[in-house]
Amino acid sequence: MVSVQLDFMKAGDADMAATGAEARVQLGAAPTGREEVEVEGTDEARRIDYEFTSGGERGTPGKGTRMRGMMVAGLDSRDKAFLVTVDTVEGGLSRADLDRIVDSVTVR
């Protein structure tokens, strides 16, 4: 599942946007990494990787399925926070696949 949210919170910089993004991750998720990434159209952005177990809610994989997530957060040219989230069944997308998604993000 891929989602994009614009102006998802008030933030003064990319670190604040990333911290707000991390707070949105469902309870029980385990962060596995946070790093600065280049996103076209912004001076700075952060990538947050995490893992969690699906609760089996409607429209999601069955309860107990191991999941992998990745978020990209930062500020656009209007200083509005943006968030791109990708959640996949563990093993469904490789690190290279996720890197290509990050590389494709462009903001204005």
Side-chain angles (χ1 to χ4, degrees):
M1 177 164 86
V2 177
S3 66
V4 177
Q5 294 177 281
L6 305 174
D7 198 13
F8 81 97
M9 65 170 287
K10 302 292 182 208
D13 60 30
D15 281 323
M16 187 180 290
T19 299
E22 287 174 329
R24 298 174 66 105
V25 176
Q26 72 181 43
L27 187 62
T32 59
R34 181 173 173 170
E35 63 185 289
E36 189 169 329
V37 293
E38 290 187 30
V39 170
E40 188 175 330
T42 188
D43 292 334
E44 59 180 333
R46 302 292 181 268
R47 173 182 172 155
I48 303 106
D49 291 285
Y50 56 96
E51 297 175 351
F52 63 100
T53 301
S54 176
E57 292 83 6
R58 183 174 173 208
T60 67
K63 186 174 183 173
T65 302
R66 290 298 300 158
M67 304 290 292
R68 181 176 184 185
M70 183 271 304
M71 296 182 284
V72 177
L75 302 180
D76 64 18
S77 62
R78 298 171 303 141
D79 290 329
K80 302 289 185 180
F82 69 88
L83 176 63
V84 176
T85 305
V86 178
D87 289 330
T88 183
V89 172
E90 193 169 70
L93 293 173
S94 69
R95 171 74 187 206
D97 292 332
L98 292 172
D99 290 346
R100 281 191 289 278
I101 292 170
V102 172
D103 290 344
S104 74
V105 176
T106 300
V107 296
R108 298 174 199 250

